[in-house]
Amino acid sequence: RGAGIFIASREGVADHFALLLRIRQGSIEELFEIRKLIEVQAAGWAAERGTPAAIAAIERVVAEAEAALDDPAALARCDAAFHVAVAAAAQNGVLLRIMQNLLDLLASSREESLRIPGRAVRSVGEHRAVLAAIARRDAQGARQRMWEHLDSVERAIVQRFRSLEDARSGNGARQ
């Protein structure tokens, strides 16, 4: 009752932090398996169900991202907003809540991933391609573009982690 943030149970908090720790310890591939499962379908539903206002909201986010390419913090906010806007356009409240929670887990790594050379421009271009398919009401195309986007981001992040690990372990100097 009342207002504010309340912890319902210690177990829920512990589970959340355990998941976050697993993500940081190398389950990026598992996270992206789930993202592909959820977000690919969300893009298809957005193409099928999205209202003109919902599609216009995705367009505004993409345009804002295009204007923020030199500002990693703003671009990270736009990136998250894009994925939430697609989920909102899918018109499934459960999906939207799942996406919001999933994106919260990614918040700390989002800005870092957008600092990978060339990643920001590529991500915004991929968002533009997803939007174009949604606007054409091409559900299959929207699913394909979203899958390609998520796969591209996953490969960039995994490559970045491997490069950092190699540098820490000294393997980078031997290659």
Side-chain angles (χ1 to χ4, degrees), residues 158-170:
V158 167
Q159 182 179 6
R160 176 71 164 197
F161 283 154
R162 286 183 182 146
S163 295
L164 292 172
E165 287 299 316
D166 286 347
R168 279 191 209 122
S169 67

Side-chain angles (χ1 to χ4, degrees), residues 34-51 54-55 58 82-100 102-103 130-131 133-135 137-147 150:
I34 297 304
R35 287 190 72 188
K36 287 173 184 173
L37 179 72
I38 295 169
E39 294 188 64
V40 166
Q41 186 59 45
W45 285 340
E48 293 169 352
R49 304 173 182 172
T51 64
I55 294 170
I58 301 169
F82 170 80
H83 291 277
V84 169
V86 170
Q91 296 188 33
N92 181 308
V94 173
L95 170 70
L96 181 57
R97 292 191 68 177
I98 289 169
M99 275 306 306
Q100 290 167 330
L102 186 59
L103 291 172
V130 172
L131 168 63
I134 290 170
R137 303 298 186 170
D138 176 3
Q140 184 56 37
R143 285 191 280 277
Q144 182 64 36
R145 299 293 87 73
M146 183 63 83
W147 190 93
L150 294 171

